[in-house]
Amino acid sequence: MTTATSEAVKLTERINRIEPSATMAVVAEADKLRSQGVDVVDFGAGEPHFPTPQHIKDAAIAAIQGNFTKYTAVAGTPELRDAIVRRHAADFGSDYRREESIASTGGKHALFNAIQVLVDHGDEVILPVPYWVSFKDIVRYAGGKCVFLESDESQGFRVTAEMVARLITPRTKLIILNSPSNPSGAVMSPADLTEVVRLAHERGIWVISDECYVYLNYTGDIFSVGSLREYKDRLVVVGSLSKTYAMTGWRMGYALGPLPVAAAMAKLQSQSTSNPTSIVQKAAVAALNGPQECVEQMRTEYIQLRDHVVNGLRSIPGVACTLPEGAFYAYPNISSFLGRGSVKSASDIAGRLLREAHVATVPGEGFGTHDHIRVSYATSKTELDRGLERMRKLLAAL
Ligand SMILES: Cc1ncc(COP(=O)(O)O)c(C=O)c1O
């Protein structure tokens, strides 16, 4: 028997177009250190530190006990799809119908499906930088070409319609928005979002708005582009229960979009995963239809953690940090350390932080910038203090 090496196995051209997720790579390296007994402070993981609320867990247990354990409709049960559109209508004033919704196995899956049905070979996709790692690779997997839009860090990584307009060509098919943003925590104002969506609509360009962090918006002005009813025919809103209800491991996300797009996404899903897990669908109904105080409680705590970590980071000599207005990431600028000794890149800094200070962060290169590291503050204040102290020491020694 021979062992197949990666060179000997002829994989498809399309799988070779993409890279493994940078965030997953950090998680794996931190896990490895932890398994060797190292005390790692984890600022790498992109997930809430809260447990899933009890009433959601109870609904899943009841689903198992009630034998709700069979296949369901591919796009989700009517009960779940109705819960998705009702929640969205109640919170944002949208008017989607059940048929214009689809439940998928996580927001990432909904996004993957949406991009596969909208982007063809050679299509251009405008992607604001810094971007969430998976956008670029999912677009490439579909055969599309990413056109990167540099945002303005001095204005909190702002993206405006004017900046988008400069990049539009006859091949532009899609613009991907992500507000609040992973990794920068930047929140686009309702006015900027509306202008970008209006421009795209006018030019016949699609918008996918990844709103996985839409409830983790600390500006007091929570907004979904799904409320812009007049532009709906070129718009897909992607949502997720992962962050909103601390349900990352359950894998439940959704999309809202025009009927032909939702139907095409369901067709693709019917030939891959089929329905999201039946039990999780019942839990999702409980999350969406049940009490929403848990969301508010988590949001309030994230704001305190955000302030704590940003103050801590800004107090480290050489570190600059814009104020993130949503999600649970800070994106400090560490460019003043580049060129000191052997430190040449954000990856070098993140590597040394992990291996020498035992603090896991994600280097900015994975998000398209070279001067930053991503710090997830979805953890306790005690952990934040421990990690910040270690960072302070290591950076001072560079
Ligand atoms: C911007 C963004 N979109 C989508 C997702 C996917 O979330 P999930 O697949 O857990 O719903 C994530 C997760 O980190 C994210 O940060």
Side-chain angles (χ1 to χ4, degrees):
M1 201 179 87
T2 55
T3 311
T5 62
S6 44
E7 294 82 47
V9 179
K10 177 90 181 79
L11 300 174
T12 60
E13 183 269 329
R14 67 182 176 281
I15 193 65
N16 286 325
R17 262 183 245 148
I18 66 171
E19 294 160 12
S21 154
T23 21
M24 302 279 182
V26 173
V27 171
E29 202 175 338
D31 281 349
K32 196 169 150 208
L33 280 176
R34 234 179 258 117
S35 72
Q36 293 162 359
V38 176
D39 164 32
V40 176
V41 175
D42 194 357
F43 293 164
E47 60 182 342
H49 56 305
F50 300 107
T52 304
Q54 191 59 45
H55 67 283
I56 301 175
K57 295 196 275 199
D58 289 343
I61 293 163
I64 295 174
Q65 300 294 10
N67 296 314
F68 191 73
T69 51
K70 308 248 194 271
Y71 292 131
T72 72
V74 166
T77 60
E79 182 191 28
L80 173 58
R81 293 168 82 187
D82 286 349
I84 290 169
V85 298
R86 270 199 225 121
R87 177 87 268 141
H88 206 270
D91 293 344
F92 304 109
S94 59
D95 66 344
Y96 289 98
R97 291 176 293 131
R98 179 196 295 167
E99 298 71 28
E100 296 169 314
S101 71
I102 173 171
S104 298
T105 308
K108 190 186 271 191
H109 185 214
L111 196 70
F112 185 88
N113 287 341
I115 291 173
Q116 298 308 315
V117 307
L118 287 177
V119 175
D120 245 327
H121 281 269
D123 285 344
E124 291 181 1
V125 177
I126 296 178
L127 193 54
V129 180
Y131 47 75
W132 178 53
V133 281
S134 295
F135 295 141
K136 170 176 65 69
D137 291 287
I138 298 176
V139 166
R140 287 189 179 156
Y141 195 70
K145 179 176 168 244
C146 293
V147 175
F148 298 110
L149 188 166
E150 295 301 328
S151 61
D152 187 347
E153 183 175 5
S154 68
Q155 288 200 51
F157 298 99
R158 187 169 178 211
V159 172
T160 64
E162 236 173 52
M163 293 158 84
V164 171
R166 278 185 231 128
L167 298 182
I168 293 176
T169 75
R171 306 215 67 143
T172 307
K173 183 68 183 286
L174 170 70
I175 300 165
I176 300 180
L177 299 176
N178 174 217
S179 173
S181 152
N182 176 4
S184 70
V187 172
M188 289 179 72
S189 69
D192 280 346
L193 279 167
T194 304
E195 269 309 292
V196 172
V197 172
R198 192 197 55 72
L199 168 75
H201 192 263
E202 187 183 285
R203 306 288 279 268
I205 295 165
W206 284 89
V207 172
I208 293 180
S209 182
D210 178 339
E211 301 187 358
C212 288
Y213 297 92
V214 74
Y215 291 96
L216 303 183
N217 174 331
Y218 315 131
T219 64
D221 206 358
I222 292 196
F223 180 78
S224 164
V225 297
S227 65
L228 302 172
R229 300 179 182 191
E230 63 274 43
Y231 307 129
K232 262 174 69 177
D233 57 335
R234 289 272 171 202
L235 188 61
V236 180
V237 174
V238 172
S240 170
L241 276 66
S242 288
K243 325 284 172 166
T244 314
Y245 300 102
M247 291 177 71
T248 45
W250 298 70
R251 313 306 305 129
M252 174 56 67
Y254 59 85
L256 301 165
L259 187 59
V261 175
M265 289 171 67
K267 179 167 75 170
L268 177 58
Q269 192 159 293
S270 79
Q271 298 297 4
S272 53
T273 58
S274 292
N275 59 274
T277 306
S278 59
I279 300 150
V280 176
Q281 291 192 55
K282 284 287 187 193
V285 169
L288 295 163
N289 289 349
Q292 300 298 300
E293 287 77 12
C294 53
V295 180
E296 186 53 36
Q297 280 160 8
M298 290 190 263
R299 179 166 49 222
T300 307
E301 188 165 332
Y302 284 131
I303 293 174
Q304 289 169 7
L305 294 168
R306 185 266 316 254
D307 291 342
H308 195 73
V309 80
V310 170
N311 288 337
L313 286 166
R314 286 178 175 170
S315 75
I316 299 176
V319 175
C321 189
T322 54
L323 183 72
E325 293 189 309
F328 38 65
Y329 309 103
Y331 204 51
N333 186 313
I334 42 73
S335 56
S336 72
F337 299 96
L338 303 182
R340 291 196 195 172
S342 62
V343 173
K344 301 270 182 286
S345 64
S347 287
D348 289 344
I349 295 214
R352 290 192 59 175
L353 280 171
L354 183 57
R355 284 183 284 274
E356 295 172 34
H358 302 146
V359 179
T361 60
V362 185
E365 285 93 339
F367 309 108
T369 73
H370 296 276
D371 294 341
H372 306 85
I373 54 173
R374 191 191 75 176
V375 173
S376 168
Y377 57 81
T379 185
S380 66
K381 272 193 183 156
T382 316
E383 277 302 277
L384 287 179
D385 285 338
R386 273 185 352 117
L388 285 164
E389 212 31 56
R390 292 181 185 190
M391 288 175 78
R392 185 188 310 280
K393 277 204 191 110
L394 184 114
L395 293 172
L398 288 180

